[in-house]
Amino acid sequence: MLKNKILVAFAALLALNACKKEKDTEASAPREITVNAIRMHPQDIPLSFEYPARAQGSKEVQVRARVGGILLKRNYIEGSRVNAGDILFEIDPAQYQLALEKAQAQLAQSKAQLQSAQQDWARISQLFKQRVVSEKSKDDSLAALDTAKAAVQMAQAQVDEAQLNLDYTKVTAPVSGITSMETQSEGSLISASGNDSLLTNITQIDPVYVIFSASENEIYSLTSMSEKGQIRTPYNGGEIKAKLKYSSGDIYAHEGDINFINPSIDETTGTIKLRAVFPNPEGRLRPGQFLRLIMEGLTRIDALVVPQEAVMQGASGSFVYVVNDKGLVETRNIQTGLTTSDGGWIVDEGLNPGDVVITSGLLKIRNGIPVKTQIAEEKAAASAGDTL
């Protein structure tokens, strides 16, 4: 009887241990987690780059007096638009008018002397042929004629100089643009050299330049992708276009072109300076104005894009979690490149078309565990089918 009781107790103990082991096995087995994911499909992504920028005049010219004298008149309103050739200032022309008249009189005298020398030469050369005068007389007459011709040339040059100085008393605009404040007021005595010669400045704002800087790495990345055939420009080689955004967020009405890239890199910032040119017929853009420049027109061909939330950082760099053919999680190191307009990362290396990348629950998963994926586009397609 006692023996039977012992056997029953032993059997019960074995059964209890078996149940415990089964529960421990169930507890240690990983549970399948449901995660959201996307499947990698190559796609053409329009690229857009935005930079802080500043406007400046396409020409900035100092207007200086080229002759001295009393500044009689200013013929424009400060800050107004002027056209090339407009008379901006008038300097007292009296002394220059007198100098011109004096030079003209000297020219007339030199011409009269030339005419007399020509007549003498005609007479002496004829007499020399008749052997009436000596060879020395002939040479002296010819020298006098040459001297008279040179005197006329000199007098003509003095007339031209005097006329030029008289013309300089009317200071004209060398380019079209916007004038600055005057630096010399009417009635001032100005000179043709030094600081006293500066009268105003003109800034040409149509077209207007917009200066901005791009990072060295970004320019290198674009160049590298272009060499690999991963970048396409509009119409198989059209120019890259630029747009401007005001601080208010409004877009400027006219598009511009990138017309200059600095060949050197700024050592302090690691950036490359670029310049865009924009039409500015209404004068909406002003030198010194802060803007945002948007560069568009490039397309990244056959790009693989992952959301930013799917990208993790580890000791070896950026990585994502992918689901293999067996439904298990794997870590995949990637190299990211440019970003898309909606905040995604373009993956340059590490992923292939068809890969399934996990986008949610990243802190709950690890290598080797099984997961159940809900792929965004496939789930949407299934929902659309159910609705139909």
Side-chain angles (χ1 to χ4, degrees):
M1 189 68 178
L2 180 60
K3 182 178 180 181
N4 291 336
K5 290 183 178 180
I6 293 174
L7 290 174
V8 171
F10 183 69
L13 181 60
L14 290 177
L16 182 61
N17 287 336
C19 290
K20 183 178 180 182
K21 288 181 180 180
E22 184 177 351
K23 290 181 179 180
D24 290 343
T25 302
E26 292 177 355
S28 61
R31 291 185 302 167
E32 188 177 63
I33 301 174
T34 300
V35 294
N36 294 328
I38 58 172
R39 191 179 300 277
M40 293 291 96
H41 297 293
Q43 51 186 313
D44 292 348
I45 302 295
L47 300 177
S48 178
F49 307 90
E50 187 169 326
Y51 307 97
R54 194 170 186 177
Q56 73 174 38
S58 54
K59 289 183 180 178
E60 297 180 355
V61 180
Q62 293 181 335
V63 179
R64 293 183 177 271
R66 303 179 72 171
V67 294
I70 300 297
L71 185 62
L72 295 181
K73 190 176 181 182
R74 170 169 55 84
N75 296 320
Y76 70 95
I77 299 174
E78 295 170 292
S80 64
R81 182 189 293 270
V82 296
N83 297 316
D86 288 351
I87 298 176
L88 305 182
F89 299 93
E90 295 181 26
I91 299 170
D92 186 2
Q95 60 176 321
Y96 301 103
Q97 182 64 47
L98 290 175
L100 175 60
E101 292 173 359
K102 182 178 179 180
Q104 289 171 338
Q106 183 63 47
L107 176 61
Q109 182 179 359
S110 297
K111 286 181 176 180
Q113 292 173 346
L114 174 60
Q115 184 177 5
S116 176
Q118 288 173 334
Q119 292 172 350
D120 287 344
W121 167 246
R123 183 171 58 255
I124 294 297
S125 60
Q126 187 65 31
L127 292 174
F128 178 77
K129 291 179 182 179
Q130 298 173 0
R131 299 182 181 274
V132 175
V133 298
S134 66
E135 185 173 353
K136 183 179 182 303
S137 297
K138 182 201 73 169
D139 292 341
D140 290 344
S141 178
L142 181 59
L145 176 61
D146 290 340
T147 300
K149 289 180 179 179
V152 170
Q153 292 178 341
M154 177 65 74
Q156 183 63 58
Q158 290 174 344
V159 169
D160 294 341
E161 181 182 13
Q163 182 65 61
L164 191 62
N165 288 334
L166 180 61
D167 293 341
Y168 284 158
T169 60
K170 296 183 183 300
V171 182
T172 59
V175 296
S176 300
I178 303 297
T179 58
S180 68
M181 295 177 62
E182 67 175 6
T183 59
Q184 301 283 352
S185 60
E186 295 174 347
S188 299
L189 176 62
I190 59 176
S191 66
S193 60
N195 294 333
D196 290 341
S197 66
L198 180 62
L199 301 178
T200 189
N201 295 281
I202 296 178
T203 303
Q204 188 176 73
I205 61 171
D206 185 22
V208 68
Y209 286 158
V210 176
I211 309 300
F212 63 103
S213 296
S215 71
E216 174 188 1
N217 292 336
E218 196 167 59
I219 296 296
Y220 172 79
S221 178
L222 287 173
T223 303
S224 177
M225 286 188 291
S226 179
E227 291 173 350
K228 295 176 182 177
Q230 297 174 333
I231 293 287
R232 182 177 65 237
T233 55
Y235 310 110
N236 297 320
E239 294 182 355
I240 300 172
K241 290 297 181 181
K243 295 181 179 180
L244 287 178
K245 183 191 295 184
Y246 295 108
S247 56
S248 62
D250 296 333
I251 300 296
Y252 180 59
H254 303 282
E255 289 186 344
D257 296 311
I258 310 295
N259 70 340
F260 176 76
I261 301 177
N262 200 341
S264 60
I265 299 172
D266 190 321
E267 296 179 358
T268 59
T269 61
T271 59
I272 298 175
K273 184 174 291 187
L274 298 93
R275 184 181 70 196
V277 58
F278 287 83
N280 191 28
E282 298 87 9
R284 299 289 298 277
L285 303 177
R286 291 281 180 157
Q289 187 174 3
F290 287 98
L291 303 155
R292 302 288 296 183
L293 184 137
I294 303 170
M295 188 168 65
E296 296 180 339
L298 297 175
T299 301
R300 176 67 158 83
I301 303 171
D302 295 334
L304 299 178
V305 181
V306 296
Q308 288 193 4
E309 61 268 20
V311 180
M312 308 287 285
Q313 297 296 325
S316 57
S318 301
F319 69 92
V320 293
Y321 288 118
V322 299
V323 182
N324 62 21
D325 296 337
K326 298 179 180 179
L328 303 178
V329 175
E330 290 182 357
T331 300
R332 189 76 61 81
N333 291 325
I334 62 171
Q335 180 178 333
T336 57
L338 303 173
T339 58
T340 63
S341 58
D342 58 358
W345 283 107
I346 296 177
V347 179
D348 291 334
E349 295 181 8
L351 291 177
N352 299 308
D355 286 343
V356 177
V357 177
I358 299 174
T359 59
S360 69
L362 302 177
L363 299 179
K364 300 178 182 179
I365 57 178
R366 62 183 185 275
N367 273 342
I369 68 170
V371 292
K372 181 180 180 182
T373 58
Q374 293 183 340
I375 300 177
E377 64 269 21
E378 296 176 3
K379 182 180 178 182
S383 299
D386 293 341
T387 303
L388 294 175

